[in-house]
Amino acid sequence: MSHLFPTYGKWDIEIKSGSGAFVVDSNGKSYLDFIAGIAVCNLGHCHPKVINAVKEQLDTLWHISNLSPIQGQEDVAKKLTENHTGDYVFFCNSGTEANEAAIKLARKATGKHHIISLVNSFHGRTLGSMAATGQEKIHAGFGPMLSTFDYVPLNDIHALQAAVNEETAAIVVEVIQGEGGVHVMAQSFADGLQALCEEKGILLIIDEIQTGIGRTGKAYAYEHYGLSPDIVTLAKGLGNGFPVGAMIGKAHLKESFSAGSHGSTFGGNPLAMAAAKVVLTEIFNEEFLDEVAKKGKTFKAKLRDTLLDYSMVQEIRGIGLMIGIECNTDVTAIVKALRDKGLLVMNAGSKVIRLLPPLTVTNEELEQALQLLSEVFQELETKQTLTK
């Protein structure tokens, strides 16, 4: 009997070890992992440089309070802001915490309380970040949400403009909605969003928790659109599996997060900073990012050439190595069939298969995944034909 709250729909396999793009279960079966801890292990499992950095830090200092200067925080913050439009960083432990910090900062800096987010967005599961999430299924059962949030559809600039009022402090968006179905922002919407924020003096918050740290072939996904956010939130890929989150803000917000206004006991601890420093050194490299963009473009083209011939596949979309395969049916059985064949993928909503391989995935591993996807769709369509 498990003593855990059943908050997750657990698989029937237990992963015991991993290396690069592969993991191994308790029965010794190997899987090609195209989940990567949900866009977390961007450098693959057990990356030797990350391991060595954390081991070295373990022998030096595990934890010290944030009352003391921590050089690792300064090092990582410098790497983050050098590749960003922002100037200052707050460290925490997760994406939810980063979004909570962003919500608090926006309200405090503007003196306003109304925040707009998007339908099908996902920003976390604490009360503030859950309220920012535009999905009723996430809200269900928890009573009234914070009344200061409104939701508009992605890529509907007229609805966004209509939702703004005199109390609007910020607009928070994902440029690619991960949990919401791998829906991609249109350039025209991005342009209108930026213009609206500048015209009305509204803070632009971009949630890069799943899209950031190289996932789309850029350091941050907003770079694809020429956006200039006031606040960006990060987590997932930042520590390659070590828990760490961050919020980056522009210089004009500095005084609103003065001493005592916010905090995190474990945020920016030396172990997390050791991991994050290595991750950013490896990923925030032009050659590395160019390779991610190239692999993603080629892989998506091959997916379209191969899978769109199957009647159950409707669309393939995404940027870089964040790709969604939309089907005309619930994908639960497809995800299970792929797992049985040795490919780990996950859903994004009921009808989208999400592919999030490590950014270090090889072309050969991408070909292997393509072959397994094709096999499963072929088998399922053959089965459907026989049962008609």
Side-chain angles (χ1 to χ4, degrees):
M1 182 186 78
S2 174
H3 294 279
L4 300 173
F5 276 109
T7 51
Y8 303 98
K10 299 281 190 181
W11 296 337
D12 56 0
I13 61 171
E14 181 183 4
I15 302 301
K16 301 293 286 188
S17 64
S19 178
F22 287 90
V23 292
V24 179
D25 71 13
S26 56
N27 295 315
K29 181 177 177 178
S30 180
Y31 302 82
L32 186 55
D33 183 7
F34 271 42
I35 300 175
I38 313 181
V40 167
C41 298
N42 285 1
L43 291 176
H45 296 281
C46 297
H47 190 280
K49 290 184 179 180
V50 179
I51 289 173
N52 289 337
V54 174
K55 281 183 176 178
E56 183 178 335
Q57 188 61 54
L58 275 168
D59 290 332
T60 306
L61 183 69
W62 289 25
H63 177 77
I64 191 72
S65 83
N66 275 303
L67 297 174
S68 173
I70 299 173
Q71 185 57 45
Q73 292 183 3
E74 295 291 347
D75 294 342
V76 175
K78 185 172 186 289
K79 286 181 178 294
L80 288 171
T81 55
E82 282 177 344
N83 293 272
H84 189 275
T85 63
D87 304 285
Y88 294 96
V89 180
F90 172 81
F91 288 110
C92 51
N93 308 289
S94 68
T96 289
E97 289 182 36
N99 282 332
E100 287 285 341
I103 292 166
K104 286 182 65 175
L105 178 56
R107 290 170 63 121
K108 193 165 189 289
T110 63
K112 300 177 180 181
H113 61 269
H114 179 238
I115 296 176
I116 302 168
S117 69
L118 302 179
V119 175
N120 289 326
S121 61
F122 183 83
H123 300 292
R125 295 181 184 273
T126 53
L127 282 173
S129 60
M130 179 169 63
T133 295
Q135 297 189 52
E136 180 57 36
K137 67 179 182 181
I138 303 298
H139 302 168
F142 293 102
M145 293 293 104
L146 293 176
S147 60
T148 54
F149 284 88
D150 282 321
Y151 317 104
V152 301
L154 174 64
N155 295 329
D156 188 339
I157 192 62
H158 299 298
L160 181 62
Q161 292 166 339
V164 170
N165 62 49
E166 292 182 356
E167 281 297 319
T168 303
I171 300 170
V172 55
V173 300
E174 304 156 280
V175 297
I176 307 174
Q177 294 183 331
E179 302 297 323
V182 195
H183 294 289
V184 180
M185 183 178 287
Q187 183 64 56
S188 59
F189 182 82
D191 294 341
L193 168 66
Q194 186 74 58
L196 179 63
C197 287
E198 292 175 1
E199 177 190 350
K200 301 292 186 179
I202 297 168
L203 297 179
L204 174 57
I205 303 172
I206 299 184
D207 180 334
E208 291 267 7
I209 288 159
Q210 191 164 147
T211 56
I213 318 298
R215 174 55 53 184
T216 66
K218 299 279 189 184
Y220 308 96
Y222 73 78
E223 296 178 76
H224 292 282
Y225 295 88
L227 290 166
S228 182
D230 296 283
I231 300 171
V232 161
T233 55
L234 299 167
K236 291 191 181 291
L238 181 56
N240 209 60
F242 202 100
V244 58
M247 179 195 69
I248 311 172
K250 286 186 173 177
H252 68 89
L253 300 168
K254 179 185 178 184
E255 298 307 317
S256 296
F257 253 25
S258 56
S261 59
H262 196 50
S264 172
T265 296
F266 300 108
N269 72 80
L271 293 174
M273 295 298 96
K277 185 176 179 179
V278 172
V279 168
L280 297 180
T281 299
E282 293 295 304
I283 292 178
F284 283 6
N285 173 290
E286 187 174 347
E287 187 175 330
F288 184 97
L289 292 170
D290 286 346
E291 185 65 18
V292 172
K294 182 180 177 181
K295 285 187 290 193
K297 183 178 181 180
T298 301
F299 185 49
K300 188 167 66 173
K302 289 184 176 181
L303 286 169
R304 285 173 171 166
D305 288 344
T306 304
L307 301 185
L308 288 176
D309 288 337
Y310 297 110
S311 62
M312 64 176 61
V313 178
Q314 300 297 293
E315 185 181 12
I316 295 168
R317 54 181 179 259
I319 303 176
L321 289 172
M322 183 174 181
I323 298 173
I325 303 170
E326 183 162 357
C327 300
N328 59 12
T329 185
D330 187 287
V331 298
T332 302
I334 303 172
V335 170
K336 173 67 164 60
L338 287 165
R339 187 160 68 243
D340 290 344
K341 281 187 174 288
L343 176 63
L344 301 183
V345 300
M346 65 185 302
N347 66 302
S350 63
K351 294 186 177 182
V352 177
I353 298 168
R354 189 171 12 163
L355 306 179
L356 299 165
L359 306 185
T360 52
V361 67
T362 66
N363 290 321
E364 291 75 19
E365 288 161 351
L366 290 168
E367 288 289 342
Q368 182 179 343
L370 179 64
Q371 179 61 36
L372 292 172
L373 283 158
S374 182
E375 285 179 14
V376 166
F377 279 111
Q378 179 64 59
E379 289 170 5
L380 289 173
E381 296 225 339
T382 299
K383 184 178 179 180
Q384 279 185 351
T385 301
L386 292 173
T387 56
K388 284 183 180 179

